[in-house]
Structure formats: structure tokens, C-alpha cells
Amino acid sequence: MPFGNTHNVLKLKYASSEEYPDLSQHNNHMAKILTPAIYERLRSKETPSGFTLDDVIQTGIDNPGHPFIMTVGCVAGDEETYEVFKELLDPIIEDRHGGYKPTDKHKTDLNPDNLKGGDDLDPNYVISSRVRTGRSIRGFCLPPHCSRGERRGVEKMSVEALDSLSGDLKGKYYALKNMTDAEQQQLIDDHFLFDKPVSPLLLASGMARDWPDGRGIWHNDTKTFLVWVNEEDHLRVISMQKGGNMKEVFNRFCTGLTKIETLFKDKGTSFMWNEHLGYVLTCPSNLGTGLRAGVHVKIPNMSKHDKFEEVLKRLRLQKRGTGGVDTAAVGGTFDISNADRLGFSEVELVQMVVDGVKLLVEMEKKLEKGQSIDDLMPAQK
Amino acid sequence: MTFSNKRTMDCLHWTLRKTSAEVLQQTRSTTKAHLPVIHPYLSNCGNKAMANNFARILSSKRNVGIMSLVGAGSLTAAFLLNREHVTAGAQVRRVYPASAEYPDLRKHNNCMASHLTPAIYAKLVDKATPNGYTLDQAIQTGVDNPGHPFIKTVGMVAGDEESYEVFADLLDPVIKERHNGYDPQIMTHPTDLDSSKLKSGKFDERFVLSSRVRTGRSIRGLSLPPACTRAERREVEKVVVDALAGLKGDLAGTYYSLTHMTDQEQQQLIDDHFLFDKPVSPLLTCSGMARDWPDARGIWHNNTKTFLIWINEEDHTRVISMEKGGNMKRVFDRFCTGLKEVERLIQEKGWEFMWNERLGYILTCPSNLGTGLRAGVHVNLPKLSKDPRFTKILDNLRLQKRGTGGVDTAAVGSTFDISNLDRLGQSEVQLVQTVVDGVNYLIDCEKKLEKGQDIKIPPPVRK
């Protein structure tokens, strides 16, 4: 929960060692990196909007973590957080994003023409295709820290921009607090509705305050382009459809995003972005592209193969159950998506998914016929 | 940052005491134009008790900390008195006017939502206590938890003792609603921990299975659980555990820190029904009181397991005296003796409990002000509980029923938890007497019904 900076002034009367959190039971990126010395150097700092070190790390203190799943354990309250607290966040980013250095530059590429292929994933295996990312509106604080007025400002600006989309992107906004029962049921049936977060990872950061004020869902009439407003980030943008035509999904994704960005620029603002971190989002794990491109794919044989994990690792892909992160797969159908977010461009990541899923389907077909997949084993990307 | 210049500190004390006296001469004012060097949150109050209370807070030794907030130096007086300096260095976060920040409370049913008008919000939203606690923080739990159509929650908390002064424009009406018309502006609360005054506190054990009295205490000078820093929370733990180590005789006991508890100790505490767990109720978690769990939380109990203290759960301390059986007198005796002993021990080290004559003992939730006392029994009332007049009888006796699992649980069989409804405006002795008289009446009804006799609804107990 965010405190005003005068509260931070109160803490400074205590020695740093008296305020230092007990991280002895903890296993998350923040707990691995934070030392008493770093804490002492950073604790008197704050961003211009008053976000402090304890605000950054509170979620990591309150959620010691899991022995197998490494959570990040910190959040940003505004764009400046990544600058003011870089001494802590740079090593965390490096650890989380495969060695990405503080001096590295991130490439943004939202030109869908650069994607090769991707329109012919076998629909007998690939059930659906989806690309999602997040965007933050420059000048507003992020969900852990924003005031009600700011959150409503984000909503207003976003809805104005979305309302001016046309053609196959034309759509409608459903504010969470004004939704009728019928609208709510339809959104649930479409698998579009997001609910108040229950995960303590999210709650402890303060992002669920004032729910459902300022939150809502926008989608186009054809239900292939969807935007979440003020959930974990200012905006989450999703392009999806049934079948294996990832190229079309990515086309719409890029077109929609570019149009929305233009509309924001017309209003005198832009998305939070810089050439080192790419697109800036609440959780450090979503920096760079913030992009997760994935498919629901039927690979019952491949998923039981003892080389499955190794293949995924080499292809830089990750598996999830079809219920989303932390769910188990049902009946051999998996959610397969890119593991990386930062250090690769959008086109590069979607290319990895397209090429990787194509290979997985080929392997599945071979295993169906009782053949070996050894000659198909990929090199490490 | 230490405050080493004693003379400057004495001057500051004097300046602030003088300021409080000046305040006494001011009438309520809606503008600050003619109040150049008055604390903004005193500028609108002509209330003598409030100003005296503030002076008392400042003169307490432990508030060296607040002085040192200001930093050593000759301008400290001006620094503290000009509230802008308290937020110096911080950008004013409020880019939006108060009307754009006002919460949407249309679906809400809690005391805060009933009394927070846009006008009061606009008046209080830029204020902060000396520790930096703000209105938005105080009301966050009420905004996040719209409430229940039947059960009206309070919907706000205090982050420190000064919250009750700085945000009085909102808290006073909330207190008045919650505490049955008690008006903090004009009334005073009686504190009486002389348990010898209790009459006939031994219940028929054919009906009463156990007796219990609980309250809370806060350590003056340290922020309350919604707002405290880790160091403050650890200091509360240290102060209280040091004091408890000085208890002797049937009060001597042991402290079990939640962080360092062994599995065996944990199991024993669970079996004794002593162990408290990390709060899951969003009413509590939304206020920020569960931060850093389980750091500096723990349970102390005496060797005979009849006196128990929770540290840093919903309040700095929760103090519980309990026994099997119906000897409420002995439970209350131990309660009062224990509390006074703990108070004596912390005073030896220069600490004291948060208390004032307006609100009694200061706790996190406004519903626990005054005595913070809940005295109750687990009592078997198979016939009475089925009588349609049961609820009305309880109402008139100023008692409430709960299931034996605690608040919001249902009764199992016909065993009920019966306790006092009120907390503020009556003393500890008065409230426990109310429970004693009331439970005796209920038992009497039960006995009458056993014999096939009729019972009467008692007249309402005079408050």
C-alpha cells in the first residue's frame, strides 16, 4: 500500500538495520538481490510522485515465494521508479531477463510484414492463437501507486482513444462498475471478463485498491481485439482468434496498437517507453515487449516425450495449462508461448513462437506415426 | 537523525505548548488567514480537551521521535509549525482536485461511507498526521469493502493516535454512529479497572462453560498497525515483551514469536486455541495491517494459560484473560491486575498507553475505542435460545450473541458466546457488571423454562 513520502521521512529516524526486512525465508528475485547496503543507500530516495523503496519491495516481503517458481518480488509505481531505484532493479532485470545488461538496448519492431510465415499453423492441432502485451500512459502513476483521480484519468483517456477506432477495430467499452448482469454474463462466456485479483502477489502491491473504480474491458465488435483497462497495468492489449493464423492475429495486434498510440499522441501524451527498457510496465518481468504470443495446441504425444522440456528450452518457449499461468494442461492441450520479453523485438518473439510451434506439430505428427524425432531436434536459439 | 540538542527540544516543547494555549483562544475557523503559526489540524478546533491531549502527546518522552522528524536546527519550530515543510521535498501528488479523487461510495454500506461527504473529503484530503498518515489511507479499507446489507462495518482505521484529532471531522460522526450516540466533542469516557467493585461474578457452571475478558492497548508514540514501519513494529514487540518478562507469580509466562516458533510450540498453541494466524479478511488486509507478516508478531501467555497477549496483530496488543467455568470475577480480577502490572512495567521504561479522556483507550479500529472491552461467556441455553423472545431479551440487556467460533460464526447446538454490545461511554467495571447481571438473568430464564414457568422480557438496562 503506497504511503506518502512523509511516512518515509518517519522511517529515516530509525537506523537502516532496524528497518531492514527479514528475508531469511524468502525466495524471489528481490530477496536475492537486496542487501542491507543497497537498502541503506536507497531508502531515503523517492520518485517525484513519492514512490519509495519500501513501496517497490513490499510485495516481495509479504510473499516469500515458492521453492520452484521464482517470482520477481517488486513493482514499479511510476516510470521514474526504474531510474531512481536502478541500483536494485537493474540486477533484478538482469537476473530475470537472461543476462540483460544495464547498458543494453532493446529493439522495438511492430511491423507485421517482417514476420515470415505464421499463417499456416495446422488447425487440426492449433486450436487458437493469441498475442498480448501491456502499455502504460506516460505522465500517470502505475496501478500500485496511482490515486483514484489518476486511475479515472487513465480510463477516460483510454476510452476516448478506443472509441475513435474504426473498421474491424470498432468496438465498445464496458466499465466494471456499470456493467449489467447480461453484459457481465456475455463477457464471461466470451472468456473476456477479468475479475478482482485474488493473488496476494498482486494485492500486496496495492494495485487492487478502490476496485472496481476506473476498471473496464473494451473489445471490438468481432471480438478479436480486446483491451483491459486498469487491471495489473494501465492497458493490457490482446489480439486473438480461433485457429492457427498467427500472422493475422499479429497483423491486427500491430495495427491496433499503432493506431491507439497515434491517438494518444494526438492528445499530447504517449506510451511509457525508452530505448533501454522498451515498454515500461508495472512488473519488471513484463519490460521490453511485454509480449506473450501463444497458441493452444494439441500435443498429447509430444508432451509425454522425455525430450519435451529440452525442446521447449531450446526453442525459448514455455508451457502453461490452458487456464493460464499456474494451471495444469488438460488432455494433452497446452498453452505454448515465448519465454522472453526483453532483449528481443516483438517480431523476433512471434517468429520464435511461429517457428517453434510449427516444429512441435511436426514432431507430434512423427510421434503419432511411431517415428523418431531425433533428427528434428533444434539447436539452442 | 538524532535530536541531540536538549535545549532546542525544550524550546520546541514550550513553543508547541504555548501554541496549544493560543489555540484555546481561537474560535472555530474555516480560514487559516489569521492563524499564522498554528498547526493546521488544530486551527479549526477550539476544543480544550483536544489541545491538552496534543500537548500531552508532545510532552511524552517517547515523542522525541516526532521532534527528531524535524531535524536538529534553529528553524525547527518554524519547520514543524509550517505544515508545508512536513511535506517538503515531495511533489504535491494531487494533480487532480478533490472532486476528481472522491471515492465512489454509491454501493457502500459502512459508517465511513455514511459520513464522508464530498465537503468533508475536500477539507481533510490534504491533511496528514505528523507521521504522514493521510485520509485516503484511513478510509482505504472502507472504499475497498463496500460492506454487507445487514452488518454495518466501520470502514476506516486510525494509523496513529493523532489520526483521531486530524480527521476528527470524519471520525467523530463515525464514532457517534457506531457507539450509540456517544459524542466525542462533548462527552468524556470513564475508565475504571477496579475489579473489586464487581458484584456476584460467579456463574452457575451447569450453564456457563467458560468466561473471558479481552481488550487492546496501544503504545503511545508508535504508529498503529495500518501505518507502522517495520522498525516501529519491532519496537512495540520489544517494549511489550520486555515488560511481560517482569510479570511474576501466577502472571509469569513465556513469549512465542511467530517468526521463531518451533513446529511443536506452534502445535501446542493451536491445541490451546491461542494461535492467531495471518489475517485473511479483506476488511483487515486492505488497511495495510498485515504487511511484513510475520515480522514482530507473537503470542505471550502465562504458565497457567489464563492470561494471554497477542502482539502486533490488529492492534499493538490484545490482552485476554480467560478460564474454563463460570468464575468471571476471578477472570476480571486477573485482567485488571495484569493490565495494571503491564502498564506499570512499561512506565518504568518511560512508555505509556495511548489514552485520553475523550476517547478512552486508543486502538486501530474506532469500534474498539473507550474500553476496547469484550467480556463474554460460552453458555448453554437450550430452551431460552429457542424462545422467540431471546433476541429482544438480549437487546434489552445490552448483550450480543455469537457462535462459539467467534464473530460471524453460528452457534453449535445451543451453546452461545454472549458478551457486551458497548465499548465506549461505559467503564470496564460497568460493562462487565452488565454482562454478569445479564447472563445471570438469562440463566434464570433458562431455569424457569426448565420448570415450565414463564419468563419476562426485562426492561431496557439504563446506559
Side-chain angles (χ1 to χ4, degrees):
Chain A
M1 187 163 170
F3 288 95
N5 68 305
T6 45
H7 185 270
N8 206 45
V9 173
L10 170 69
K11 284 177 204 173
L12 295 178
K13 82 174 165 94
Y14 288 94
S16 180
S17 55
E18 290 173 305
E19 286 288 353
Y20 191 71
D22 179 353
L23 300 173
S24 52
Q25 307 294 319
H26 288 59
N27 183 45
N28 55 53
H29 285 291
M30 182 278 292
K32 268 177 75 181
I33 305 284
L34 185 70
T35 64
I38 295 177
Y39 186 81
E40 175 144 27
R41 281 194 290 274
L42 293 180
R43 71 181 189 129
S44 56
K45 293 189 200 284
E46 73 216 17
T47 67
S49 75
F51 203 63
T52 65
L53 177 66
D54 276 336
D55 292 331
V56 173
I57 64 177
Q58 191 66 54
T59 178
I61 299 171
D62 289 346
N63 297 288
H66 192 276
F68 307 140
I69 303 166
M70 190 77 154
T71 46
V72 177
C74 58
V75 292
D78 52 23
E79 191 165 11
E80 294 82 356
T81 302
Y82 288 101
E83 200 42 50
V84 173
F85 301 108
K86 63 196 317 330
E87 188 182 347
L88 172 67
L89 290 170
D90 277 350
I92 289 176
I93 289 167
E94 189 164 349
D95 203 14
R96 178 63 177 213
H97 291 282
Y100 192 80
K101 302 226 173 331
T103 47
D104 285 342
K105 301 264 184 283
H106 172 81
K107 207 170 11 136
T108 293
D109 182 0
L110 281 161
N111 184 351
D113 296 335
N114 291 340
L115 182 71
K116 301 194 210 5
D119 54 354
D120 58 351
L121 298 174
D122 190 337
N124 292 315
Y125 295 83
V126 176
I127 303 166
S128 60
S129 309
R130 180 182 186 266
V131 182
R132 70 87 160 151
T133 187
R135 291 289 185 265
S136 309
I137 304 176
R138 182 159 275 166
F140 292 87
C141 290
L142 295 170
H145 192 46
C146 65
S147 70
R148 278 182 294 274
E150 283 183 297
R151 197 185 298 113
R152 291 162 178 169
V154 166
E155 184 190 33
K156 185 168 183 299
M157 203 175 253
S158 305
V159 173
E160 276 171 16
L162 294 167
D163 277 347
S164 50
L165 290 173
S166 56
D168 78 318
L169 290 175
K170 182 169 169 326
K172 191 173 166 206
Y173 180 67
Y174 303 87
L176 247 58
K177 66 177 179 178
N178 296 332
M179 215 173 269
T180 66
D181 286 343
E183 287 167 341
Q184 187 174 329
Q185 195 50 52
Q186 185 60 55
L187 287 165
I188 291 172
D189 295 340
D190 293 327
H191 305 287
F192 283 173
L193 187 65
F194 64 88
D195 214 349
K196 181 171 180 179
V198 293
S199 165
L201 295 170
L202 300 178
L203 297 176
S205 73
M207 50 149 290
R209 287 169 301 127
D210 315 311
W211 202 276
D213 197 319
R215 276 86 169 187
I217 294 165
W218 181 96
H219 70 77
N220 66 351
D221 297 333
T222 44
K223 296 185 182 177
T224 52
F225 193 67
L226 165 69
V227 179
W228 291 352
V229 179
N230 284 319
E231 195 238 7
E232 186 185 330
D233 282 293
H234 285 168
L235 302 172
R236 282 289 177 94
V237 179
I238 302 154
S239 170
M240 62 202 230
Q241 64 194 51
K242 292 231 181 293
N245 195 341
M246 182 62 93
K247 190 156 180 60
E248 198 171 76
V249 169
F250 189 52
N251 274 0
R252 190 183 310 111
F253 178 81
C254 295
T255 310
L257 267 178
T258 313
K259 286 218 165 87
I260 295 172
E261 179 151 29
T262 310
L263 291 163
F264 276 107
K265 288 208 167 99
D266 290 343
K267 289 182 188 301
T269 184
S270 53
F271 293 143
M272 291 184 196
W273 179 93
N274 64 61
E275 61 175 7
H276 166 52
L277 295 176
Y279 288 101
V280 174
L281 294 175
T282 302
C283 181
S285 69
N286 280 321
L287 291 166
T289 60
L291 185 138
R292 191 171 92 85
V295 297
H296 284 185
V297 60
K298 286 191 272 208
I299 41 171
N301 293 296
M302 187 59 209
S303 58
K304 292 197 199 72
H305 197 280
D306 57 10
K307 292 245 174 48
F308 183 42
E309 301 284 346
E310 178 64 23
V311 168
L312 288 177
K313 183 169 166 295
R314 292 187 189 184
L315 294 173
R316 305 192 74 89
L317 298 177
Q318 74 174 188
K319 73 180 197 297
R320 300 180 181 190
T322 53
V325 66
D326 293 338
T327 62
V330 175
T333 304
F334 283 79
D335 178 314
I336 302 289
S337 63
N338 52 295
D340 302 296
R341 303 276 183 270
L342 175 66
F344 298 89
S345 75
E346 287 81 354
V347 167
E348 283 169 346
L349 291 176
V350 179
Q351 192 71 64
M352 271 188 242
V353 173
V354 160
D355 296 344
V357 169
K358 214 166 179 176
L359 182 62
L360 285 170
V361 170
E362 267 185 64
M363 288 177 162
E364 178 70 18
K365 286 174 176 169
K366 281 227 155 158
L367 291 173
E368 275 174 7
K369 295 188 203 131
Q371 293 167 1
S372 153
I373 55 167
D374 289 344
D375 56 335
L376 290 177
M377 286 297 287
Q380 175 69 51
K381 279 198 188 290
Chain B
M1 202 190 288
T2 55
F3 206 107
S4 53
N5 187 330
K6 185 179 186 298
R7 208 161 81 154
T8 312
M9 191 167 81
D10 285 346
C11 288
L12 185 54
H13 277 152
W14 177 85
T15 309
L16 288 161
R17 279 216 190 89
K18 180 169 171 295
T19 305
S20 302
E22 283 170 3
V23 166
L24 296 181
Q25 290 154 23
Q26 303 289 349
T27 51
R28 262 179 196 278
S29 165
T30 53
T31 69
K32 296 186 186 132
H34 61 287
L35 301 170
V37 283
I38 304 293
H39 290 274
Y41 48 91
L42 286 180
S43 63
N44 290 337
C45 307
N47 185 304
K48 180 178 199 280
M50 210 181 296
N52 278 347
N53 177 53
F54 186 65
R56 185 206 323 230
I57 293 171
L58 290 175
S59 64
S60 142
K61 176 177 162 190
R62 278 304 123 195
N63 285 280
V64 169
I66 292 179
M67 300 310 144
S68 71
L69 239 190
V70 164
S74 57
L75 291 174
T76 47
F79 183 105
L80 192 61
L81 296 173
N82 177 4
R83 200 194 143 262
E84 263 75 67
H85 272 277
V86 179
T87 54
Q91 175 189 325
V92 172
R93 282 215 44 221
R94 209 163 317 286
V95 183
Y96 296 84
S99 56
E101 295 286 2
Y102 183 72
D104 183 349
L105 300 172
R106 287 172 297 171
K107 297 207 171 92
H108 287 59
N109 181 44
N110 56 53
C111 296
M112 179 280 291
S114 298
H115 296 284
L116 184 67
T117 62
I120 293 180
Y121 184 78
K123 190 173 172 201
L124 297 179
V125 76
D126 286 316
K127 295 196 201 280
T129 68
N131 297 329
Y133 196 68
T134 63
L135 177 72
D136 277 335
Q137 288 167 249
I139 64 173
Q140 191 66 60
T141 178
V143 174
D144 289 345
N145 296 289
H148 193 275
F150 306 142
I151 302 165
K152 197 161 186 185
T153 46
V154 176
M156 65 184 297
V157 292
D160 50 24
E161 188 165 8
E162 296 81 355
S163 297
Y164 287 101
E165 314 297 322
V166 176
F167 306 119
D169 284 331
L170 176 59
L171 275 160
D172 283 353
V174 165
I175 289 167
K176 194 168 177 189
E177 179 182 346
R178 179 60 179 217
H179 293 281
N180 211 28
Y182 182 88
D183 187 345
Q185 295 300 323
I186 56 178
M187 294 175 174
T188 55
H189 168 81
T191 292
D192 186 356
L193 284 160
D194 181 359
S195 60
S196 68
K197 293 181 186 157
L198 189 69
K199 300 199 217 347
S200 62
K202 292 200 182 115
F203 299 119
D204 186 335
E205 290 186 352
R206 191 156 70 85
F207 301 93
V208 173
L209 307 172
S210 62
S211 309
R212 181 182 185 268
V213 182
R214 70 88 160 149
T215 188
R217 291 289 186 264
S218 311
I219 307 295
R220 175 161 281 162
L222 296 167
S223 304
L224 295 169
C228 65
T229 74
R230 276 183 297 277
E232 284 185 299
R233 198 185 296 112
R234 291 162 180 170
E235 189 152 30
V236 167
E237 184 188 34
K238 186 172 183 308
V239 167
V240 176
V241 172
D242 280 351
L244 295 171
L247 289 174
K248 300 194 193 346
D250 80 317
L251 290 176
T254 311
Y255 179 63
Y256 303 89
S257 139
L258 247 59
T259 329
H260 300 129
M261 208 176 274
T262 66
D263 286 342
Q264 207 179 342
E265 287 167 339
Q266 188 174 330
Q267 195 50 51
Q268 185 61 55
L269 287 165
I270 291 172
D271 295 340
D272 291 328
H273 304 289
F274 283 174
L275 188 63
F276 65 86
D277 214 351
K278 180 173 181 176
V280 291
S281 165
L283 295 171
L284 300 178
T285 54
C286 290
S287 73
M289 50 151 289
R291 286 168 301 126
D292 313 310
W293 202 275
D295 196 319
R297 274 83 169 189
I299 293 164
W300 180 98
H301 69 77
N302 67 349
N303 298 328
T304 44
K305 297 184 183 177
T306 53
F307 193 63
L308 163 70
I309 297 181
W310 291 354
I311 293 178
N312 285 318
E313 194 238 7
E314 187 184 331
D315 280 295
H316 283 173
T317 65
R318 284 288 178 94
V319 179
I320 301 152
S321 171
M322 62 202 230
E323 280 181 25
K324 290 232 180 293
N327 197 338
M328 181 60 92
K329 177 124 181 69
R330 192 164 61 202
V331 168
F332 190 47
D333 280 339
R334 186 180 310 108
F335 178 82
C336 295
T337 307
L339 269 176
K340 286 187 212 150
E341 217 7 50
V342 173
E343 182 159 27
R344 188 187 68 75
L345 288 161
I346 65 168
Q347 279 170 344
E348 272 181 358
K349 304 265 170 75
W351 297 91
E352 52 184 5
F353 291 141
M354 291 184 195
W355 179 94
N356 66 55
E357 58 180 7
R358 200 168 70 94
L359 297 174
Y361 288 101
I362 303 293
L363 294 175
T364 302
C365 182
S367 69
N368 281 321
L369 289 166
T371 60
L373 185 138
R374 193 172 91 85
V377 297
H378 284 185
V379 60
N380 224 348
L381 301 168
K383 291 189 156 46
L384 180 59
S385 58
K386 294 192 193 62
D387 192 295
R389 294 166 286 188
F390 185 40
T391 305
K392 182 75 180 139
I393 292 172
L394 289 174
D395 281 351
N396 283 7
L397 293 172
R398 304 289 312 161
L399 298 176
Q400 76 175 185
K401 71 180 196 299
R402 301 180 181 189
T404 53
V407 66
D408 293 338
T409 63
V412 174
S414 50
T415 306
F416 287 84
D417 177 315
I418 304 285
S419 65
N420 53 295
L421 262 176
D422 303 303
R423 302 269 183 275
L424 173 66
Q426 297 241 287
S427 76
E428 288 80 355
V429 167
Q430 285 171 317
L431 290 176
V432 180
Q433 192 68 64
T434 305
V435 173
V436 164
D437 295 345
V439 170
N440 278 332
Y441 191 89
L442 296 173
I443 292 172
D444 201 59
C445 289
E446 184 68 24
K447 285 177 175 168
K448 284 198 163 80
L449 291 173
E450 275 177 352
K451 294 190 203 129
Q453 294 168 358
D454 195 23
I455 59 172
K456 275 213 221 6
I457 297 175
V461 168
R462 215 163 49 84
K463 247 190 64 128

